[in-house]
C-alpha cells in the first residue's frame, strides 16, 4: 500500500508584500542583475522609500527569495513640468516630494529577477499597484517607461516612430510592450529622462493608467486656495500654587483662551509641570522629580479632558515620567478627538543629567492630526538640525518646541535654531516657554522666554519670518495663523528650495531608528 504523499515538500510559496529593511540587500543585488549598466539603489534610497511611503513599495517573495520589486510615490502631476526628468519627479530617488494629498501614483521602478521572468511577476506587481490606487482613491498611475530596444532602431526611426511601431505590435520592446498590454496609454515622450539609460538613449514614454473607479467626491481631494491653521502658544508663568487643582485651573484658563480664538493648537512649555513641586516639601532635585512623576496620570487625564472639552489639539508642554526605573522628559500631543501621542526628549542637557538624572529617548516621531503632520522637538533638540530634517522628510509641516531656559543666551540658542530650522526645512516652527520664578523649588531658578511662531523666509511669508511673538518675560499668549497651502506651494516653487536642492550625491542623513 503506497504512502500518503506529503504535498508540503513540493510547495513553493509566492507572496506579494510591502518592502522591509531586511529586503534591501537582496533588492540591490537584483537591481544590478536587471540593469547592469545603470546605477543601483543605495540603502538610503530604499530606507527613505519605506519611511515616507511604505505602502507604495512592494516586493515578490518566492520560496524565501526576493524575485521582483517596485517603488512608487504619490504626486499631484499637474504641478510638474511636461518634460520632467526621473531625478525631478523622485527628488533624486529619495521621494521626499511624496504628496499624500496628491492625485496620482507615480511608478519609479519595476524589476524582475532575470531567472524568474515569464512567470507574470511584473503583471502581479502592476496589479498590486492598481489595487493600491483604488484603495487610496487616486486618479491614475503614471510611469516614465524606458524603451530599452530603441538603440537598435535609432538610426532609422525617431523615438515617436519607434513608439508607434511598438504600440501596434510591429516591434517588441520588453518595457513598452508590457505596459501597453497592461492597459497603459501613451501621454508623451520625454527627453533626457534618465541620465544613465543609454539603451533608451535617455528617452522615456510617459504612460498612464486611469482609475475608472475614482470618486470625485472624496473630501481629501478638494482643491484648497488656503489651508489656515491657528496656533496659540502660551508663555506660562511659573508661580507658587497650593494643589494640583490650582495647576488645573491655570491650564484650563489658557486652553479656554486658545479655544476662544478658534485655535487648532494650544502649546504649553517644557517641564511646566515642575510648578507642582511648589507645594511639595521635598527639596532634593533628584527626589523631587520622583515625586513629580506621581502626578503623571492626573496630568494625562487633565489634558485629555481639556482637549476634548475645548475642541483643540494640545501640545502639553513636557512632563517628567518614570518608565522602568528611568526618568524621561516627554512631550505629549493630546488630540481633540481624545487620542494621545508622545515624543521623548532626545538630547539631555548637562543640567538635566546632573540634577535630575534624565534619560534621553531614541525616536523622532511625526504625528498625524486634523491639521496635517506635526512634530515636537523639546528645547535642546531643536539645536540639532538633523532632527528637524528627519521630521520634515517624514512629512512634518509644523515643528512645536516647548522650552525652558533660564537666561537670554539660552533662550537665543533655542530661538535662533528654531528660525534656522524653519528656513532650512521650509517648515513652520513654534516656541512656547516659561516665565516667572519658583523660589521654593531647587534647580528651577530664573526663567527667560519670548515665545513665538516662525515661518520660512520668502515673499509669501511675513517679512521677517515671524508670524507672531510675545513680549519677553511676561505671562501672555501669542496667536497666529500659518497656512499649509502656502507652505506647500513654497516647497514647490519658492525663490529657493532648500528641500529639493539638497545634494544627496555628496551628503545625507542616516536615521538609525525607524
Amino acid at each position: 500500500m503506497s504512502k500518503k504523499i506529503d504535498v508540503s515538500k513540493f510547495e513553493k510559496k509566492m507572496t506579494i508584500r510591502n518592502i522591509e529593511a531586511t529586503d534591501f540587500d537582496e533588492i540591490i543585488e537584483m537591481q544590478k542583475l536587471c540593469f547592469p549598466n545603470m546605477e543601483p539603489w543605495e540603502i538610503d534610497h530604499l530606507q527613505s522609500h519605506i519611511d515616507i511611503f511604505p505602502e507604495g513599495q512592494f516586493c515578490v517573495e518566492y520560496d524565501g527569495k526576493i524575485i521582483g520589486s517596485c517603488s512608487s510615490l504619490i504626486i499631484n502631476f499637474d504641478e510638474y513640468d511636461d518634460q520632467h526628468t526621473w531625478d525631478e519627479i523622485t527628488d533624486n530617488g529619495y521621494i521626499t516630494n511624496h504628496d499624500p494629498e496628491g492625485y496620482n501614483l507615480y511608478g519609479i521602478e519595476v524589476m524582475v529577477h532575470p531567472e524568474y521572468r515569464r512567470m507574470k511577476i511584473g503583471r502581479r506587481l502592476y496589479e498590486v499597484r492598481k489595487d493600491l490606487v483604488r484603495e487610496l482613491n487616486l486618479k491614475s498611475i503614471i510611469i516614465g517607461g524606458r524603451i530599452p530596444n530603441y538603440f537598435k532602431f535609432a538610426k532609422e526611426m525617431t523615438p515617436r516612430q519607434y513608439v508607434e511601431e511598438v504600440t501596434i505590435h510591429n516591434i517588441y520592446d520588453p518595457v513598452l510592450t508590457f505596459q501597453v498590454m497592461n492597459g497603459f496609454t501613451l501621454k508623451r515622450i520625454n527627453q533626457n529622462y534618465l541620465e544613465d539609460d543609454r539603451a533608451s538613449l535617455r528617452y522615456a514614454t510617459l504612460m498612464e493608467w486611469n482609475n475608472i473607479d475614482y470618486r470625485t467626491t472624496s473630501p481629501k481631494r478638494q482643491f484648497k486656495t488656503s489651508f489656515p491653521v491657528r496656533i496659540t502658544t502660551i508663555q506660562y508663568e511659573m508661580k507658587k500654587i497650593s494643589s494640583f487643582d490650582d495647576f488645573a485651573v491655570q491650564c484650563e484658563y489658557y486652553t479656554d483662551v486658545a479655544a476662544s480664538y478658534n485655535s487648532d493648537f494650544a502649546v504649553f512649555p517644557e517641564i511646566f509641570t515642575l510648578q507642582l513641586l511648589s507645594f511639595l516639601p521635598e527639596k532634593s532635585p533628584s527626589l523631587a522629580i520622583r515625586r513629580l512623576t506621581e502626578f503623571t496620570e492626573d496630568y494625562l487625564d487633565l489634558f485629555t479632558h481639556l482637549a476634548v472639552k475645548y475642541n483643540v489639539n494640545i501640545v502639553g508642554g513636557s512632563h517628567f515620567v518614570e518608565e522602568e526605573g528611568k526618568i524621561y522628559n516627554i512631550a505629549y500631543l493630546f488630540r481633540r478627538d481624545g487620542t494621545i501621542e508622545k515624543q521623548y526628549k532626545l538630547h539631555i542637557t548637562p543640567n538635566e543629567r546632573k540634577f535630575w538624572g534624565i534619560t534621553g529617548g531614541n525616536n523622532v516621531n511625526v504625528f498625524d492630526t486634523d491639521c496635517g503632520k506635526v512634530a515636537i522637538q523639546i528645547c535642546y533638540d531643536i539645536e540639532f538640525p538633523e532632527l528637524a530634517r528627519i521630521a520634515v522628510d517624514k512629512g512634518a509641516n509644523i515643528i512645536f518646541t516647548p522650552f525652558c531656559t533660564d537666561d537670554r543666551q539660552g533662550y537665543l540658542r533655542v530661538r535662533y535654531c528654531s528660525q534656522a530650522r524653519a528656513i532650512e526645512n521650509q517648515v513652520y516652527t513654534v516656541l512656547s516657554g516659561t516665565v516667572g520664578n519658583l523660589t521654593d523649588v531647587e534647580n528651577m531658578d530664573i526663567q527667560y522666554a519670548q515665545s513665538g511662531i516662525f515661518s520660512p523666509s520668502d515673499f509669501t511669508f511675513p517679512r521677517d519670518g515671524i508670524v507672531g511673538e510675545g513680549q519677553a518675560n511676561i505671562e501672555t499668549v501669542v496667536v497666529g495663523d500659518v497656512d499649509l497651502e502656502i507652505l506647500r506651494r513654497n516647497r514647490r516653487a519658492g525663490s529657493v528650495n532648500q528641500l529639493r536642492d539638497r545634494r544627496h550625491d555628496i551628503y545625507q542623513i542616516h536615521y538609525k531608528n525607524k
Side-chain angles (χ1 to χ4, degrees):
M1 187 175 179
S2 60
K3 294 182 180 179
K4 184 178 180 180
I5 296 175
D6 180 8
V7 297
S8 64
K9 65 182 180 181
F10 298 98
E11 292 178 343
K12 291 185 177 181
K13 187 176 181 181
M14 182 178 289
T15 305
I16 301 178
R17 58 173 174 80
N18 290 120
I19 292 172
E20 301 171 354
T22 52
D23 302 322
F24 291 170
D25 290 338
E26 278 193 86
I27 289 173
I28 291 171
E29 289 306 310
M30 179 173 62
Q31 190 181 38
K32 292 176 182 177
L33 294 173
C34 293
F35 312 118
N37 298 315
M38 299 173 66
E39 288 292 322
W41 292 123
E42 296 179 3
I43 292 289
D44 287 322
H45 288 124
L46 296 172
Q47 187 64 64
S48 184
H49 296 177
I50 66 172
D51 285 346
I52 294 172
F53 185 37
E55 58 267 50
Q57 322 308 321
F58 295 100
C59 66
V60 179
E61 184 178 356
Y62 181 58
D63 200 22
K65 180 178 181 178
I66 303 299
I67 64 169
S69 73
C70 67
S71 303
S72 61
L73 71 156
I74 296 174
I75 61 169
N76 185 0
F77 188 67
D78 291 340
E79 297 176 359
Y80 289 84
D81 183 82
D82 284 351
Q83 288 293 325
H84 65 268
T85 67
W86 187 89
D87 283 341
E88 291 169 344
I89 209 75
T90 68
D91 191 18
N92 295 297
Y94 290 88
I95 72 165
T96 51
N97 57 318
H98 168 72
D99 180 4
E101 301 299 321
Y103 291 87
N104 316 97
L105 187 78
Y106 197 102
I108 60 176
E109 183 168 76
V110 172
M111 56 182 168
V112 177
H113 195 291
E115 296 178 8
Y116 296 88
R117 290 172 183 171
R118 307 291 182 184
M119 293 175 60
K120 301 190 183 302
I121 305 303
R123 182 180 294 275
R124 295 170 200 255
L125 289 168
Y126 270 54
E127 288 302 318
V128 78
R129 271 184 178 169
K130 292 175 182 178
D131 288 341
L132 179 65
V133 165
R134 295 184 186 103
E135 178 185 343
L136 298 179
N137 190 34
L138 301 177
K139 279 187 174 181
S140 68
I141 302 173
I142 296 174
I143 50 178
R146 301 172 61 237
I147 44 176
N149 277 357
Y150 176 58
F151 75 98
K152 300 176 183 178
F153 299 87
K155 291 183 179 179
E156 54 194 88
M157 293 183 183
T158 65
R160 180 182 61 79
Q161 291 170 331
Y162 174 79
V163 168
E164 288 176 352
E165 290 297 304
V166 174
T167 302
I168 61 176
H169 304 294
N170 286 338
I171 296 175
Y172 172 78
D173 185 278
V175 176
L176 180 55
T177 300
F178 174 77
Q179 292 166 346
V180 171
M181 294 295 290
N182 277 275
F184 282 77
T185 57
L186 180 68
K187 290 173 68 71
R188 59 177 172 268
I189 298 172
N190 281 22
Q191 302 179 32
N192 300 313
Y193 181 75
L194 193 58
E195 184 65 28
D196 54 357
D197 184 9
R198 296 180 182 87
S200 304
L201 302 187
R202 301 186 179 88
Y203 288 101
T205 55
L206 203 67
M207 311 286 287
E208 185 170 26
W209 174 86
N210 290 291
N211 175 17
I212 62 173
D213 296 320
Y214 174 70
R215 304 179 302 279
T216 57
T217 57
S218 172
K220 180 182 177 182
R221 302 279 183 254
Q222 299 305 313
F223 177 76
K224 294 182 175 69
T225 55
S226 66
F227 189 167
V229 175
R230 181 159 295 174
I231 299 168
T232 294
T233 183
I234 297 152
Q235 196 155 286
Y236 188 95
E237 182 175 3
M238 302 289 273
K239 53 192 175 186
K240 184 176 176 59
I241 55 177
S242 58
S243 67
F244 184 87
D245 288 342
D246 287 350
F247 172 76
V249 167
Q250 193 169 350
C251 294
E252 182 162 10
Y253 167 75
Y254 281 116
T255 306
D256 188 14
V257 168
S260 69
Y261 284 103
N262 296 315
S263 299
D264 297 293
F265 290 94
V267 190
F268 287 84
E270 180 188 24
I271 57 174
F272 75 119
T273 57
L274 281 169
Q275 185 181 31
L276 298 170
L277 296 182
S278 66
F279 63 81
L280 297 177
E282 182 58 62
K283 298 302 180 183
S284 166
S286 60
L287 295 178
I289 290 307
R290 298 279 172 175
R291 290 289 306 276
L292 181 64
T293 65
E294 296 173 6
F295 289 96
T296 298
E297 291 189 3
D298 293 330
Y299 159 81
L300 294 173
D301 185 63
L302 169 65
F303 278 96
T304 302
H305 169 71
L306 294 178
V308 174
K309 177 180 178 180
Y310 289 97
N311 192 32
V312 60
N313 300 301
I314 300 176
V315 177
S318 76
H319 174 65
F320 290 133
V321 179
E322 182 174 2
E323 295 180 350
E324 298 180 349
K326 296 179 179 179
I327 306 296
Y328 296 93
N329 188 351
I330 301 178
Y332 290 89
L333 170 65
F334 301 89
R335 295 191 187 91
R336 49 186 157 196
D337 66 2
T339 57
I340 305 173
E341 302 281 4
K342 63 181 179 179
Q343 172 65 61
Y344 293 77
K345 188 173 185 178
L346 306 185
H347 297 89
I348 305 306
T349 64
N351 183 281
E352 287 177 290
R353 190 177 296 111
K354 176 180 177 181
F355 288 95
W356 293 324
I358 306 303
T359 300
N362 296 310
N363 294 292
V364 179
N365 298 319
V366 170
F367 308 115
D368 287 308
T369 74
D370 53 11
C371 297
K373 292 181 181 292
V374 304
I376 305 172
Q377 297 186 353
I378 307 169
C379 197
Y380 197 25
D381 283 343
I382 200 66
E383 298 178 27
F384 296 83
E386 300 86 350
L387 300 188
R389 180 54 52 87
I390 291 166
V392 170
D393 280 349
K394 287 185 170 188
N397 294 313
I398 305 171
I399 298 176
F400 297 104
T401 298
F403 73 94
C404 176
T405 52
D406 55 349
D407 56 34
R408 190 169 185 270
Q409 289 81 4
Y411 160 71
L412 289 178
R413 287 194 296 269
V414 174
R415 172 167 182 146
Y416 291 156
C417 288
S418 180
Q419 290 191 268
R421 301 301 86 85
I423 293 170
E424 295 162 353
N425 298 286
Q426 296 176 281
V427 68
Y428 294 111
T429 58
V430 181
L431 295 183
S432 175
T434 52
V435 297
N437 299 292
L438 293 176
T439 56
D440 294 332
V441 178
E442 292 292 329
N443 199 42
M444 275 301 282
D445 305 318
I446 55 176
Q447 309 284 296
Y448 190 103
Q450 186 178 14
S451 303
I453 304 168
F454 308 112
S455 74
S457 182
D458 210 337
F459 294 113
T460 53
F461 299 107
R463 188 190 70 175
D464 298 322
I466 302 171
V467 176
E469 62 182 336
Q471 185 175 337
N473 291 334
I474 65 168
E475 185 176 23
T476 188
V477 301
V478 179
V479 182
D481 284 353
V482 300
D483 195 319
L484 302 189
E485 176 61 19
I486 288 176
L487 186 73
R488 187 189 67 81
R489 294 179 189 177
N490 179 255
R491 289 177 174 180
R492 174 71 186 129
S495 298
V496 293
N497 200 309
Q498 293 89 347
L499 290 180
R500 296 177 67 86
D501 291 340
R502 287 176 288 174
R503 289 288 304 277
H504 289 301
D505 56 326
I506 60 174
Y507 62 84
Q508 52 198 238
I509 295 173
H510 179 55
Y511 176 48
K512 294 183 177 180
N513 291 328
K514 308 302 175 186

